[in-house]
Amino acid sequence: MKPLLAALLLALVASPARAGDVVDTTFAKAQGPHAFNVRDLVMMDRVSDPQLSPDGRYAAFGVRSTDYAANKGVNAIYVLDLERKGAAPVKVVDKGSSARWSADGKSLFFVAPAKDVAQLWRVDLGADLSSHATPVQVSHAPLDIVDYKLAPDGKQVPLSYEVFTDCATLACTEQRIDARAQDKASGSLYKKLFVRHWDTWADGRRNQLFVGAFGADGQLPAEPTLLSRGIDGDIPSKPFGDASEFAFAPDGKSVYFDVRVAGTTEPWSTNFDVYRVPADGSAKPTNLTADNKAWDAYPVPSPDGKTLYYLAMKVPGFEADRFAIMARDLATGATREVDPRWDRSPGGLSISADGKTLYATADDEGQHPLFAIDPANGEVRSLSGQGSVGGYSLAAGKLLLARNDLKRPSDLYLAKADGRGLKQVTHFNAEDLKEAQVGDFEFFQFPGWNNETVQGYVVKPVDYQKGKTYPVAFIIHGGPQGAMTNSWSYRWNPQTYAGQGFAVVTINFHGSTGYGQKFTDSISGDWGGKPLEDLKLGWKAALDKYKFLDGDRACALGASYGGYMVYWIAGVWNQPWKCLVDHDGVFDARMMYYATEELWFEEHENGGTQYDVPQNYEKFNPLNHVKDWRVPMMVIHSARDFRIPDTQGLGAFTALQRRGIPSELLHFPDENHWVLKPHNSVQWHDAVNAWLKQWTAKDAASK
């Protein structure tokens, strides 16, 4: 064993996870030069949510640090003077998020708790950022703010609260919640789906949109005005919606928002629509996109107020259809597609102050850059080059980007509005990355299914030496309409394996995003077909091209759809693998239909309901191939995963144990489809790394 690796293992204090064990996740971060590991990962500062001041001089942004002892992240807000040479970021809010500039650029609004309720606050900033004023609470509602967005003139603010829609006031919702807490009967009676979604059981509340006007004292009323009157839906959408789903008109007289009206079809519908409502709440919302039965969302008004831009899909019931940029003439109602020749699915839509440029991010050939789109002719150009843009802001002819790649987490970069002069302006984690060494990476292409070009990438182990060979972690991405891109991740980060001495191989098989909509669509109805062929051909291409890959010491890993594929290859392509790791995968396609919550996904991917087309659910059902399983497997699942319930993982573990195949089950009672808590993340990585090393050790590989 190499001395450095031995020292790191001793520092962990814990022994490898085994079935039934409770793993000690004692934290001991390595000092001095060392290979990157999960302890480096969980303690990194996470830079996000860049916001330029109206004059373009200052950058406000969020930084999430980790309080490992408390097992949670802590969000703070920083401001950087972009014009003062050598200026360092200044922390202006110790605990808060969602910073937004006031219209005059002299203050920041943000969300932070007051007596355990998320409220809106304001902090006034002076010329010397280090002497900013004490934050002032400006909202006093009894419920948590879900999200907010300031009006263009800064005099009003749309606010989202989760309420009972038959309550006339926020106080009514609070009283009903308190009454339920006092009730000794714990049952809930449901009359329609969703009964649970993502990781939360439904309690009858909806995210609803309100508006509040600041008084002369700068305070918001405790009872704001309801805007989404009569809307049975969530604004923003659950579970991941945000303030990009609503927007003020430039004149402040109207508010636009998107919502999926629930009714009794919510679990099998993707029919979001864009609505307009008077900002004073004097009339009910009007549906502007009722003719399209697919997804319409993310409204962005033009600066002159004449055009509404938004994103729209064309296929009902399909969440991974291409988003087209649409333009609606608000006077005539005429609608056109801005970018029909751009075969990408954009997100994060914004518009320049002169209305002549739209901005959006999109997956593109393994990258996730920022693009500029001409709304007049649909011409598109990339602005940010390689890597991934996680957020951006526009002001005063400048762009502020949060940008990352496979070797470094997000930092802020500043450029002109056309992308020229891109330069890094923050350097969080720089010192840590000097000590924690990461592996080099390279994208490659090969002829995949039907001889069509497919892309993947390889990450070298940190201790790479030419002429040596290394065990391999073959990572299969989820989605399935997703991709392994040139980006930094805090969950499935290839560098955590490279730091353990593994090479990493991953393939963006048919169904991945960023290669055209036809490529993305090709996985639907064919989960175990074309993608498996791509994985086989990609594995062979990687072995042929990169001689440092030891094909006799390789394990395959995947989560969600990647977990499904691990269960699938366990029965139909298990020859290359010394071990498998399955996180939150689909084991029984039949039961998955009845146990998951978002039925539109299952119905589109399988061409209908399970009872109408049962043969489609059986065609690529891993459960039907358990008799051919032979490879040792670690199964990981979480109790709060309602997307792929943990009975799927328990069923797979039962099959492994009953067949006598070496196997382990790691179960988290407090996580959802993702593992998010710092201690759980460390435990997850320690257990997985121990499993990989156990089965790829040279003595194990020779058996």
Side-chain angles (χ1 to χ4, degrees):
M1 182 180 291
K2 296 182 179 180
L4 175 60
L5 181 58
L8 288 174
L9 291 175
L10 288 172
L12 300 185
V13 180
S15 59
R18 289 294 179 267
D21 289 351
V22 176
V23 177
D24 179 4
T25 53
T26 302
F27 190 87
K29 189 175 178 181
Q31 303 298 315
H34 62 279
F36 184 82
N37 61 62
V38 64
R39 285 155 177 77
D40 297 306
L41 184 72
V42 300
M43 295 306 293
M44 284 188 153
D45 290 328
R46 306 185 188 186
V47 177
S48 65
D49 197 19
Q51 300 291 325
L52 274 170
S53 60
D55 62 3
R57 174 169 179 174
Y58 297 103
F61 55 98
V63 178
R64 179 193 182 276
S65 59
T66 299
D67 183 341
Y68 195 77
N71 200 26
K72 66 179 182 180
V74 178
N75 295 302
I77 296 170
Y78 285 73
V79 176
L80 173 63
D81 187 339
L82 297 169
E83 295 184 0
R84 185 162 65 86
K85 188 176 181 179
V90 175
K91 185 191 292 187
V92 297
V93 176
D94 289 329
K95 293 182 180 180
S97 61
S98 303
R100 299 294 180 266
W101 290 98
S102 61
D104 61 10
K106 296 180 179 179
S107 305
L108 276 174
F109 291 86
F110 63 95
V111 176
K115 297 181 180 178
D116 296 324
V117 177
Q119 302 283 5
L120 190 64
W121 295 70
R122 187 191 74 246
V123 59
D124 299 327
L125 305 176
D128 181 3
L129 295 175
S130 62
S131 60
H132 56 273
T134 301
V136 175
Q137 182 181 342
V138 299
S139 76
H140 303 272
L143 305 176
D144 291 326
I145 288 177
V146 175
D147 217 328
Y148 78 101
K149 181 178 285 185
L150 295 169
D153 62 6
K155 295 180 180 179
Q156 301 180 85
V157 54
L159 303 148
S160 178
Y161 291 100
E162 190 179 27
V163 300
F164 294 107
T165 55
D166 60 340
C167 272
T169 64
L170 301 184
C172 166
T173 291
E174 178 193 32
Q175 292 162 8
R176 193 175 296 181
I177 293 170
D178 290 344
R180 285 189 175 184
Q182 298 300 317
D183 193 340
K184 289 183 170 55
S186 61
S188 295
L189 180 65
Y190 296 97
K191 297 184 179 181
K192 63 178 183 178
L193 299 172
F194 293 115
V195 299
R196 60 184 189 176
H197 197 182
W198 187 247
D199 61 3
T200 304
W201 285 87
D203 66 358
R205 286 183 287 170
R206 291 283 185 192
N207 289 344
Q208 293 283 282
L209 193 62
F210 297 77
V211 66
F214 291 106
D217 59 357
Q219 297 293 300
L220 291 171
E223 289 290 346
T225 301
L226 177 65
L227 294 181
S228 52
R229 179 157 43 104
I231 297 289
D232 180 19
D234 290 295
I235 312 156
S237 58
K238 296 177 181 178
F240 304 121
D242 58 29
S244 65
E245 296 189 53
F246 52 87
F248 250 104
D251 62 5
K253 294 181 180 179
S254 301
V255 174
Y256 302 95
F257 64 86
D258 68 68
V259 65
R260 175 181 55 212
V261 174
T264 58
T265 64
E266 188 176 21
W268 52 90
S269 169
T270 60
N271 187 19
F272 282 75
D273 283 305
V274 176
Y275 288 74
R276 176 171 55 192
V277 63
D280 60 4
S282 59
K284 289 185 177 181
T286 301
N287 189 341
L288 301 180
T289 62
D291 290 343
N292 183 27
K293 302 306 180 183
W295 199 325
D296 304 285
Y298 311 110
V300 175
S302 62
D304 62 9
K306 296 180 179 180
T307 305
L308 182 68
Y309 297 100
Y310 60 97
L311 301 180
M313 295 183 179
K314 296 180 175 66
V315 181
F318 185 24
E319 66 178 11
D321 189 23
R322 173 181 171 266
F323 264 130
I325 301 175
M326 307 299 294
R328 180 185 178 90
D329 186 311
L330 290 168
T332 67
T335 303
R336 65 180 176 87
E337 183 175 345
V338 171
D339 59 335
R341 300 183 304 277
W342 188 33
D343 196 8
R344 296 293 182 267
S345 188
L349 193 65
S350 298
I351 193 167
S352 61
D354 62 6
K356 294 181 179 180
T357 307
L358 292 165
Y359 296 86
T361 59
D363 282 354
D364 183 54
E365 302 282 346
Q367 314 294 327
H368 189 81
L370 179 67
F371 294 90
I373 305 101
D374 187 327
N377 58 27
E379 291 184 359
V380 180
R381 54 192 174 87
S382 177
L383 299 178
S384 59
Q386 294 190 337
S388 294
V389 172
Y392 66 97
S393 178
L394 298 160
K398 297 178 182 178
L399 275 173
L400 184 68
L401 312 174
R403 190 165 169 263
N404 63 81
D405 58 37
L406 275 164
K407 296 185 73 172
R408 56 189 64 81
S410 283
D411 263 307
L412 298 189
Y413 293 75
L414 187 67
K416 294 181 180 180
D418 60 5
R420 290 183 296 124
L422 186 70
K423 64 177 181 179
Q424 187 173 346
V425 294
T426 66
H427 298 82
F428 285 82
N429 305 301
E431 293 303 314
D432 288 339
L433 285 172
K434 286 181 181 178
E435 301 295 328
Q437 298 152 4
V438 296
D440 292 328
F441 67 93
E442 180 178 307
F443 279 83
F444 68 98
Q445 293 182 331
F446 61 93
W449 174 85
N450 200 32
N451 211 37
E452 295 176 5
T453 299
V454 177
Q455 186 185 52
Y457 67 71
V458 168
V459 181
K460 292 179 179 179
V462 169
D463 61 350
Y464 172 78
Q465 295 180 37
K466 188 175 182 179
K468 290 190 174 182
T469 60
Y470 299 88
V472 184
F474 187 76
I475 299 177
I476 306 169
H477 74 68
Q481 293 90 354
M484 293 290 284
T485 59
N486 183 10
S487 60
W488 189 264
S489 173
Y490 287 95
R491 294 192 302 275
W492 283 80
N493 190 316
Q495 298 293 356
T496 63
Y497 304 99
Q500 295 290 315
F502 289 88
V504 176
V505 176
T506 186
I507 305 298
N508 284 333
F509 44 79
H510 276 77
S512 300
T513 53
Y515 306 94
Q517 193 60 39
K518 181 180 178 182
F519 192 89
T520 300
D521 291 345
S522 65
I523 194 173
S524 297
D526 197 30
W527 274 31
K530 290 185 286 291
L532 177 63
E533 189 70 12
D534 287 343
L535 292 171
K536 289 179 176 180
L537 292 170
W539 177 236
K540 181 180 184 303
L543 291 176
D544 290 344
K545 183 177 178 65
Y546 302 102
K547 300 305 180 183
F548 58 86
L549 302 176
D550 188 341
D552 293 325
R553 293 193 295 146
C555 292
L557 311 83
S560 196
Y561 172 83
Y564 158 84
M565 182 53 75
V566 167
Y567 288 144
W568 182 240
I569 67 178
V572 302
W573 184 45
N574 54 39
Q575 295 80 12
W577 314 116
K578 289 295 181 283
C579 73
L580 301 169
V581 177
D582 191 293
H583 180 110
D584 292 0
V586 177
F587 169 61
D588 181 3
R590 181 192 314 120
M591 191 58 204
M592 172 66 180
Y593 175 79
Y594 294 102
T596 192
E597 9 86 288
E598 293 183 351
L599 293 177
W600 67 75
F601 177 79
E602 287 294 312
E603 291 179 11
H604 182 273
E605 293 304 294
N606 292 286
T609 65
Q610 189 279 332
Y611 49 83
D612 282 328
V613 286
Q615 67 278 9
N616 294 0
Y617 289 77
E618 297 306 321
K619 183 177 181 181
F620 300 113
N621 193 351
L623 175 123
N624 294 331
H625 296 270
V626 169
K627 62 181 178 58
D628 296 316
W629 286 16
R630 66 169 189 83
V631 177
M633 186 188 304
M634 169 175 278
V635 176
I636 308 171
H637 226 111
S638 300
R640 294 178 62 195
D641 182 359
F642 303 153
R643 182 63 39 83
I644 302 178
D646 62 353
T647 49
Q648 294 279 318
L650 290 169
F653 184 60
T654 298
L656 290 159
Q657 290 281 300
R658 187 65 182 87
R659 294 216 56 227
I661 298 170
S663 50
E664 296 180 355
L665 171 68
L666 177 59
H667 185 265
F668 292 99
D670 55 347
E671 297 284 5
N672 55 34
H673 199 53
W674 302 329
V675 174
L676 300 175
K677 293 180 173 63
H679 282 257
N680 288 346
S681 179
V682 170
Q683 182 182 9
W684 189 102
H685 283 84
D686 284 351
V688 169
N689 286 329
W691 183 253
L692 297 180
K693 290 175 181 177
Q694 175 183 347
W695 296 104
T696 60
K698 289 187 176 180
D699 57 343
S702 63
K703 293 179 181 179

